Structure formats: structure tokens, C-alpha cells
Amino acid sequence: MTEMVRKITLSRAVRTMQDLFPLEYNFYPRSWILPEEFPLFVAELDHYIHTPLAKQLPIAVSTTGADGIWRDGRWVFSQPVPQVRMMKDSDPSWKPTFIVKPDGGCQGDGIYLIKDPSDIRLTGSIQSRPAVVQEYICKPLLVDKLKFDIRLYVLLKSLEPLEIYIAKDGLSRFCTEPYQEPTLKNLHQVFMHLTNYSLNIHSGNFIHSDNVNTGSKRTFSSILCRLSSRGADVKKLWSDIISLVIKTIIALTPELKVYYQSDIPAGKPGPTCFQILGFDILLMKNLKPMLLEVNANPSMRIEHEQELSPGVFENVPSPVDEEVKVAVIRDTLRLVDPQKKKRKDVQCQTLEHVSEANEELLDAGPADRREYGTTKSPEAGLPSLCLKQVFPKYAKQFNYLRLVDRVAALFIRFLGVKGTTKLGPTGFRTFVRNCKLSNSNFSMASVDILYIDITRRWNSMGIDHKESGMCLQAFVEAFFCLAQKKYKSLPLHEQVKSLIDFCEYHLAALDEKRLVCGRGIVERRSAVVPCQTDGLHLTPAAHTPLLNRTATATKFADYRNHRY
Ligand code: ADP
């Protein structure tokens, strides 16, 4: 997980999803990976600055309030964005701002803002410390004239099946200088632009407060109350946040599953894993939540240091942290308790029931919730659950996005030997052969060239030299390439979905054939029965259960006539 949420890996994973579903994934600022995408970044910025206004849509505009998506090298908007054009029209010197973040950094470490690509510190350390350069969201929502971000806690309870919980309250971390839109003069003012607690704590303006509604760190619910009293649609905001969290986790699960299978062999009772994630979210002026980053190891401290006299520090409790974090830990333990798993059924069901009921009582006062918790919960005496299940609860709305998960299932199937995360050339060939992807227009020689080209490029990015072979992202790229070749006229996500269906169909057919062969062996008690084997393990394709084959067979009768 730590690997997955590094700035570069997260940007790549989200970008793959943006390629497939640009509108659904427009909650993540456009990002470029340094150093390898520096020329691309410069070229795209150059296009933006030098193309006549009438012919271009600004690349930084998505972060200024409009609901835009990046497609075919430009931003496309679901609604017009007059205010940005006017701003540019009236001020031709206006330039977008970008934020440079070192990969693997945290607590604002090494982060800086730029308006000019030449200000990127490309020399020296960038080679050894890659980074992400990202559009800067220059119109954030302000409270008391200050920029703030939201830290939300998310429990990834299980990867397979996917189970996600979100804490009903989080933290809002405030800057300590009044916000102004970035100019060359204020770009360096970290207390104005960066919301990190670890930075702002050093500002003379930082306010430790015992009250969750005031100070430099507040509860998110206190912000929601304030917004609600001003007439904001808080329900919509929550549903946008839930959607952002689920979509982000959907972007991360494919690669996580590859790591997971390499550590924990399938089919054996192994350790069960869970993870508490910290989601950092920025609200734009129009209340659209934007993902800043995901933390695999969020701080669970419930106290802070106070300087009693020069150089003498003492840890004092922080009521805001306590209010939010204790509930997250308590509920996580209640939900993942292995003893409870053994006792299963009745109690777990009751807990889910209580969770649902509490959700309905969200609008009721805390006293009502406490009463409900004490009278109906099997864990009488404990406060009600703060972790709200959002997946599989909303699975129906989001399952269509899980295409890369299915590509990863194909990848894992052909990895062959357990413990690896990369596919060798033979595994890739077997994938192509078993899925019947090769034909007169796409020879096995072309398959090898595709494998070598893509694998070499991904390996030259210096991501992981420990193992040789094709990583998941390279396989995904090859898969998209094959899908585009085969289903030319469709949008990318439909091309990819069609190819996944096609592959799963052929693999299911192969599995059935092997099953029949296997049965034949048993029935005839014969020593050797000719049956095509290719050394692969015989797990059925993840998304095409054998029982569904008839329907799938009908659906894919026409595929047989398809040729590249
Ligand atoms: P770190 O892991 O070092 O905290 P973040 O990605 O969280 O890195 O960035 C640090 C801070 O910078 C955030 O808390 C936020 O205040 C600000 N920030 C980060 N990305 C953006 C962005 N794209 N637009 C505006 N502000 C940003």
C-alpha cells in the first residue's frame, strides 16, 4: 500500500482511469511525472500559452471551478467557463500555477509552486528524487479567508471482496495566512498555500483550540455545519466525497492485488489484511472535492507538543484529534476483530444492521444515536459506529469502473509462478494464444515485438529493477493497445471492456475443456488422456463463472467471425 500511494504511482493509477473514464475521474488535478514527462509538460504548457485564445481551452482551467476533463490533448467542459476566459482576456499576463511534489515526500517536504517550467529544479536531485508536477487549484473554498484541506479516514477492510468504510467525521487543517490567488510575489508563502499541519504549526498564527469549531485544526463536521447554515448542499458534497473515495480505491486495487497474490498464495487460509488510509481532499470554491493525496500511514496522534518555556516541550491532549481518531480506531477494531469472524453470522449481521440504522439516524442528535447504540447493539455501552460502509453498499453504481481490475485478473492468471509481480515473454505469449488474440493480421512475431517494446519502455522508467519482465501497468498498456486494434471505432472503455469479455470467454471455454478432459481421465481411469495443457494453473477466469457460460456463449457467438 505504501508503494501504491506514492505520488507517482497514485498519479499513474488515476491517469489510467482518466484515460478510460475521463469524466468520472476529473477529481484529480492533471499531473505530469518528472523527469520523464518534463518535455510533455513543457509542450502542453507552451500550447496553452501560445495558441490564440479563440483556438484553445486553458489547461489549468479544470482547477478553477469548471467541471472539465482532459481529452485528446485539451480540456473539454460539461459547461462553459466564461469567468476564466474573461480573466485571461482582461489580463494577458495571467499564467497558470503548478505545484511540484517530490515522489514519496510527506508533510509538505520539498513542495514548491511554479509559474514557469524553467523554475522546476530539474538539476541534481530530481534524477535521484523523481517528482510530480500538478495543476495548482487556485480557487479553493475559504473559511475565515483561510485555505484548508480535509483529512478523511477510510478503512479498506478487504480487497477481495472489496469492502470500504468511510469515517463520518474527519479533520480540517487550516493555513495560517489569509489566502490570495498565486502571484509571483506570494508563490513562496507556505503558510498561505500549503495546509500541512507540520508546516503551519511553526507559524506564529497557529491556534490550538479545545473547541472543534475553531482554531487551525477543526472537525470536518464543524465545517459542514457552517456550510449548511449558509445554504450549501452538504448531502451532495458528501456523496461527491464518497464517490471520490470509491473511485480512487478502484484505481488502486488492480496493482494491490498483484502485490497481494505475490505475498499471500491464493486458496490458502492466510492472514487477513486491512488498512486505514488518510485521504487528503481540497474543496474548490464551487464545493467540488479534489483529491490531493492518499496516505497509507496516517498519523493517529491525539496529542500535540506545547512549548512550556523556551526549549521545554510537553505533550498535551488535542480534543479535535481525539474526537475523530479514537472513533476510527475503535470502529476499525470492531469491524476487523477476528474473534467476531469466528462467531460470524448473528453478531456481524446485527452490527451491520446497527450500522445501517445509525446511518439513518445521522441527522438525529448524538443523544439519540447513543441511545440506539446502547439498546440495540450487541456491543452495548460502546458509542455508535462512525465508519460507514460505502462498498459493496454502492457497488452497483461503481462496478462498471472496475475494468482494470479484470485486466489485472488476467495478468495474475498468466503470471504463473507464485511470488512474482512481472510477466515473462512466455506468459504473455500464452495469454495471447489462450485468448485467441493472434491471427493472420497479428502474428506471434508482432506479439513478441509488442511485449519487448512496452516492457523495455516501462523498465527504463526505473520503477522496479528487482524483477525483470512486464509489470501490470505495461500489461495494461499492451492490453489497451490490443483493444484499440481490435475494436477500432468504439470509445476506449468500450474497446477495453469488449476485449476483456472476449478474453474471459475464451479462457472460460478453455477451463471447461480442461474440466471435461479431467473428468474423462477420472471416468475412464486411464493413465494418459491427450489434453491440451500449457502449464498454467487452472483457476477459472475471475468474472466468468462456469455456470454462466451458456449466456456468455450466446453473447459471443459473433466474436468467432471477428478478425483483426
Ligand atoms: P504532502 O504529502 O507532502 O503533504 P500533498 O500532496 O498533500 O503533499 O501537498 C501538500 C499541501 O499542498 C496540501 O496539503 C495542499 O494544501 C497543497 N496542495 C497540494 N496539491 C495541491 C494542488 N494541486 N492544488 C492546490 N494545493 C495543493
Side-chain angles (χ1 to χ4, degrees):
M1 183 62 88
T2 318
E3 279 304 307
M4 278 313 301
V5 298
R6 285 173 77 94
K7 292 180 170 60
I8 288 184
T9 334
L10 177 71
S11 295
R12 276 197 217 285
V14 175
R15 189 189 295 175
T16 303
M17 295 307 292
Q18 285 175 330
D19 287 343
L20 288 170
F21 302 102
L23 262 182
E24 287 87 339
Y25 278 82
N26 69 3
F27 58 81
Y28 189 68
R30 178 143 170 81
S31 308
W32 295 261
I33 290 154
L34 301 177
E36 74 228 30
E37 291 178 358
F38 183 69
L40 185 70
F41 169 59
V42 174
E44 289 183 355
L45 193 61
D46 199 52
H47 163 85
Y48 164 63
I49 290 171
H50 294 114
T51 309
L53 197 60
K55 287 193 180 168
Q56 61 141 20
L57 280 167
I59 58 170
V61 131
S62 72
T63 52
T64 57
D67 215 359
I69 56 164
W70 181 262
R71 181 182 284 157
D72 302 330
R74 68 187 194 112
W75 281 101
V76 180
F77 298 94
S78 50
Q79 51 193 24
V81 281
Q83 86 280 18
V84 178
R85 285 175 159 255
M86 269 160 46
M87 183 163 68
K88 268 214 74 192
D89 281 337
S90 60
D91 179 7
S93 66
W94 186 82
K95 278 180 164 185
T97 309
F98 298 90
I99 183 163
V100 184
K101 311 181 192 182
D103 189 40
C106 60
Q107 304 190 326
D109 174 34
I111 290 184
Y112 56 97
L113 305 189
I114 56 159
K115 280 197 173 276
D116 201 307
S118 63
D119 292 334
I120 292 183
R121 298 161 203 164
L122 264 178
T123 48
S125 66
I126 196 84
Q127 291 299 340
S128 51
R129 198 175 181 194
V132 165
V133 57
Q134 187 173 79
E135 285 175 90
Y136 185 72
I137 299 160
C138 56
K139 286 189 187 294
L141 179 75
L142 305 182
V143 165
D144 300 335
K145 298 194 176 133
L146 298 169
K147 176 174 171 178
F148 67 97
D149 76 352
I150 308 160
R151 158 60 58 86
L152 270 190
Y153 296 93
V154 171
L155 169 67
L156 182 52
K157 185 173 170 243
S158 147
L159 199 54
E160 191 70 71
L162 187 58
E163 274 184 74
I164 308 169
Y165 290 75
I166 300 183
K168 285 171 187 161
D169 204 356
L171 297 170
S172 303
R173 298 158 315 176
F174 280 73
C175 278
T176 41
E177 291 282 345
Y179 183 77
Q180 286 166 14
E181 282 195 33
T183 61
L184 281 175
K185 278 196 186 129
N186 70 30
L187 277 189
H188 310 289
Q189 297 192 26
V190 287
F191 298 149
M192 176 186 287
H193 290 294
L194 306 187
T195 49
N196 298 80
Y197 167 80
S198 53
L199 297 174
N200 284 281
I201 186 91
H202 299 293
S203 153
N205 296 338
F206 194 94
I207 303 169
H208 286 292
S209 170
D210 283 349
N211 186 326
V212 294
N213 303 304
T214 57
S216 300
K217 201 193 263 188
R218 311 181 194 176
T219 57
F220 180 44
S221 53
S222 75
I223 305 290
L224 288 177
C225 275
R226 218 162 136 165
L227 291 175
S228 174
S229 69
R230 286 189 210 156
D233 188 347
V234 171
K235 259 194 168 165
K236 156 117 180 36
L237 173 57
W238 253 121
S239 100
D240 287 349
I241 289 177
I242 290 172
S243 157
L244 174 154
V245 167
I246 295 176
K247 288 172 185 172
T248 305
I249 291 186
I250 285 177
L252 296 175
T253 51
E255 210 173 340
L256 268 178
K257 284 183 181 170
V258 173
Y259 285 123
Y260 197 95
Q261 62 79 39
S262 79
D263 286 335
I264 300 171
K268 288 189 184 162
T272 51
C273 306
F274 68 91
Q275 185 108 19
I276 297 175
L277 298 167
F279 272 67
D280 291 351
I281 293 169
L282 193 68
L283 293 185
M284 285 172 37
K285 215 172 185 166
N286 61 359
L287 288 191
K288 182 178 168 62
M290 297 291 285
L291 176 69
L292 295 180
E293 74 158 350
V294 182
N295 243 283
N297 200 5
S299 161
M300 285 296 168
R301 279 194 72 172
I302 53 168
E303 47 193 24
H304 63 84
E305 269 184 357
Q306 205 169 43
E307 193 166 16
L308 295 177
S309 53
V312 182
F313 291 90
E314 187 193 43
N315 280 334
V316 292
S318 162
V320 185
D321 287 290
E322 206 169 316
E323 165 111 9
V324 173
K325 295 174 184 174
V326 169
V328 171
I329 298 279
R330 184 196 63 221
D331 283 3
T332 301
L333 294 177
R334 286 161 82 181
L335 286 165
V336 302
D337 175 9
Q339 289 307 318
K340 188 171 290 149
K341 256 193 193 146
K342 283 183 199 149
R343 282 181 260 124
K344 280 207 254 191
D345 306 337
V346 187
Q347 221 169 7
C348 281
Q349 277 166 16
T350 321
L351 192 64
E352 293 293 332
H353 167 71
V354 170
S355 165
E356 293 279 322
N358 278 336
E359 225 165 86
E360 280 154 28
L361 283 170
L362 246 189
D363 295 330
D368 299 342
R369 293 205 295 269
R370 216 173 300 126
E371 195 185 314
Y372 189 92
T374 49
T375 51
K376 300 266 170 71
S377 166
E379 302 175 2
L382 283 179
S384 61
L385 287 177
C386 85
L387 287 175
K388 171 187 155 88
Q389 197 213 68
V390 293
F391 204 96
K393 186 173 180 185
Y394 300 121
K396 267 194 196 140
Q397 278 161 259
F398 294 95
N399 270 342
Y400 76 100
L401 298 171
R402 302 181 69 189
L403 289 184
V404 186
D405 242 14
R406 291 168 68 190
V407 177
L410 295 172
F411 177 79
I412 290 170
R413 176 180 168 127
F414 289 95
L415 274 180
V417 187
K418 290 273 178 290
T420 56
T421 57
K422 290 193 174 172
L423 190 64
T426 315
F428 189 68
R429 277 178 141 250
T430 315
F431 152 70
V432 170
R433 213 177 32 239
N434 287 11
C435 294
K436 308 231 180 303
L437 297 177
S438 162
N439 55 41
S440 53
N441 290 332
F442 186 56
S443 65
M444 286 315 275
S446 320
V447 172
D448 290 339
I449 291 169
L450 182 72
Y451 175 88
I452 292 166
D453 274 358
I454 294 185
T455 304
R456 190 179 290 157
R457 194 154 40 74
W458 276 89
N459 287 347
S460 73
M461 290 178 201
I463 297 158
D464 174 11
H465 286 305
K466 277 176 263 156
E467 274 180 65
S468 63
M470 182 180 242
C471 60
L472 175 69
Q473 297 96 326
F475 182 77
V476 169
E477 188 182 323
F479 197 90
F480 284 15
C481 208
L482 293 170
Q484 281 166 324
K485 237 178 194 300
K486 192 167 171 66
Y487 304 100
K488 290 189 180 78
S489 55
L490 299 174
L492 182 64
H493 69 271
E494 283 180 32
Q495 292 173 336
V496 170
K497 182 178 180 306
S498 302
L499 190 65
I500 295 170
D501 287 342
F502 182 84
C503 293
E504 287 177 353
Y505 166 75
H506 284 293
L507 292 174
L510 194 66
D511 288 339
E512 193 170 342
K513 200 167 153 192
R514 286 170 176 161
L515 212 67
V516 172
C517 284
R519 236 182 260 139
I521 297 172
V522 175
E523 279 165 12
R524 287 195 298 274
R525 295 181 194 283
S526 137
V528 183
V529 173
C531 176
Q532 189 198 345
T533 56
D534 56 14
L536 294 174
H537 43 199
L538 301 181
T539 41
H543 293 265
T544 316
L546 290 175
L547 290 175
N548 276 346
R549 289 273 335 289
T550 326
T552 323
T554 323
K555 192 170 156 199
F556 291 100
D558 59 327
Y559 277 129
R560 294 197 190 101
N561 305 323
H562 251 274
R563 289 287 178 270
Y564 285 113

